C-alpha cells in the first residue's frame, strides 16, 4: 500500500465507521476498486487499526457525557458497568456461536477456514447492508422513547451486536442504536451505550487480528517477524487519519439522530447495497 491508498481508506473508514452505514463494507469495496485483497492479513490489520483510530475518536467525543452518566456515583458506575460487561459477554457468545455455525455450513468445519474468507463476498455484503438499512428505517418509525438503559435492554443490544460480528455490511452501530430505539430507550442514551460497547469490544478484535497477521507473516518469512513490523507503519498512519475523520462523523450522527433523521442512514444503506452488487 502506498500513502495515498492508506489516506483514502482512512477517510472512508473514519467517516463511515461511526455512521450506521458499515465502514467495513465501504472499505472492502474501496480495496477492491484499488486492486487490493480484502481477505489478506495485512488488509485485515489495516482495517482493525482504522477501527482503533475511530475508537479513540469515540472516547474523546463521549468522554464528558460518559463521565456524567457512568461516573456520577459509585452505584451508577456499578450498575452500568454490569450492563456493559454482561452485554459484551452476550455479544461474545452469540458471535462465536454464529461464526461456528457459519463455519460448519460453509466449510464443513474445515480447520483452515476463517470467517475473514467471506469478507470479499459482494453478495453477502450487499445483503447485510440491505438488512441494516431495513432495521434502521423501521426503528426510526417507532417513535421516540424516554427510557433509560435497563439490564434486559442491555442484553438485547449485546445479542444484536453479536449478530453483526461475522458480517461485513451489517452496521454494528446501526443495529445496536436501532435496537435501543426499538426498546424505547432515549436516543442519546442508546447512542452512548452503543459506542461504549464498541470501545470495550474493539481491543479484543485488535488483539485477535494482530495475532492472526503475526502468524501469517512469520509463517511466510520463516522465523523473521520483520515483515510484520514493517506493516505497522501504514496501519498507524491510517489510525491517526481515521481518528480525525471519526470526530467529524460523530457530530454528524448525533445531530441527525437528535433531529429525527435517523431513517436517512437506512435509506443510504439500501442504495449502497445496490451499488455493492453493481461493483461486484
Amino acid at each position: 500500500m502506498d500513502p495515498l491508498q492508506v489516506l483514502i481508506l482512512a477517510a472512508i473508514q473514519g467517516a463511515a465507521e461511526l455512521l450506521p452505514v458499515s465502514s467495513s463494507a465501504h472499505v472492502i469495496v474501496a480495496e477492491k476498486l484499488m486492486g487490493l485483497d480484502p481477505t489478506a492479513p495485512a488488509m485485515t490489520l489495516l482495517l482493525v487499526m482504522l477501527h482503533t483510530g475511530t475508537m479513540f475518536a469515540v472516547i474523546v467525543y463521549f468522554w464528558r457525557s460518559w463521565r456524567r452518566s457512568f461516573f456520577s456515583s459509585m452505584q451508577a458506575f456499578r450498575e452500568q458497568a454490569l450492563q456493559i460487561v454482561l452485554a459484551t459477554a452476550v455479544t461474545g457468545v452469540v458471535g462465536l456461536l454464529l461464526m461456528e455455525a457459519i463455519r460448519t455450513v460453509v466449510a464443513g468445519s474445515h480447520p483452515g477456514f476463517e470467517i475473514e474468507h467471506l469478507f470479499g463476498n459482494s453478495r453477502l455484503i450487499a445483503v447485510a447492508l440491505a438488512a441494516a438499512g431495513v432495521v434502521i428505517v423501521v426503528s426510526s418509525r417507532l417513535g421516540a422513547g424516554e427510557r433509560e438503559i435497563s439490564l434486559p435492554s442491555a442484553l438485547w443490544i449485546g445479542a444484536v451486536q453479536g449478530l453483526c460480528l461475522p458480517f461485513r455490511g451489517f452496521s454494528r452501530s446501526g443495529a445496536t442504536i436501532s435496537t435501543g430505539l426499538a426498546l424505547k430507550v432515549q436516543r442519546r442514551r442508546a447512542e452512548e451505550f452503543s459506542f461504549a460497547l464498541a470501545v470495550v469490544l474493539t481491543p479484543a478484535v485488535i488483539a485477535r487480528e494482530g495475532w492472526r497477521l503475526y502468524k501469517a507473516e512469520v509463517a511466510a518469512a520463516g522465523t523473521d517477524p520483520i515483515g510484520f513490523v514493517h506493516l505497522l507503519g501504514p496501519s498507524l498512519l491510517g489510525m491517526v487519519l481515521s481518528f480525525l475523520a471519526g470526530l467529524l462523523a460523530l457530530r454528524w450522527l448525533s445531530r441527525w439522530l437528535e433531529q429525527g433523521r435517523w431513517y436517512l442512514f437506512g435509506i443510504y444503506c439500501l442504495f449502497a447495497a445496490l451499488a455493492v452488487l453493481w461493483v461486484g
Side-chain angles (χ1 to χ4, degrees), residues 22 98 116:
S22 178
L98 183 56
E116 288 80 8

Side-chain angles (χ1 to χ4, degrees), residues 64-149:
R64 289 186 179 179
S65 58
W66 283 345
R67 188 171 58 186
R68 288 193 300 269
S69 58
F70 293 167
F71 302 105
S72 58
S73 67
M74 183 57 67
Q75 180 180 357
F77 174 76
R78 286 198 297 266
E79 290 177 355
Q80 296 185 70
L82 178 63
Q83 291 172 355
I84 291 173
V85 169
L86 292 180
T88 302
V90 171
T91 294
V93 171
V94 172
L96 289 174
L97 289 176
L98 183 56
M99 285 189 281
E100 185 58 35
I102 292 172
R103 184 178 290 108
T104 300
V105 172
V106 174
S109 298
H110 190 279
F113 175 81
E114 295 187 14
I115 202 69
E116 288 80 8
H117 295 160
L118 301 177
F119 284 3
N121 190 311
S122 298
R123 291 183 179 180
L124 286 179
I125 294 173
V127 170
L129 270 170
V134 170
V135 168
I136 291 170
V137 171
V138 170
S139 68
S140 69
R141 295 307 183 191
L142 297 178
E146 296 298 330
R147 296 177 182 174
E148 287 290 328
I149 295 286

Side-chain angles (χ1 to χ4, degrees), residues 174-227:
T176 53
I177 293 175
S178 294
T179 301
L181 298 180
L183 295 171
K184 297 299 182 181
V185 174
Q186 297 173 21
R187 290 170 178 168
R188 181 66 177 181
R189 292 291 294 121
E191 181 187 16
E192 290 178 355
F193 190 77
S194 170
F195 285 111
L197 289 181
V199 168
V200 172
L201 185 65
T202 301
V205 176
I206 294 170
R208 177 180 180 275
E209 296 305 331
W211 177 244
R212 175 175 175 265
L213 176 65
Y214 178 80
K215 289 194 299 182
E217 288 297 316
V218 170
T223 58
D224 182 12
I226 297 299

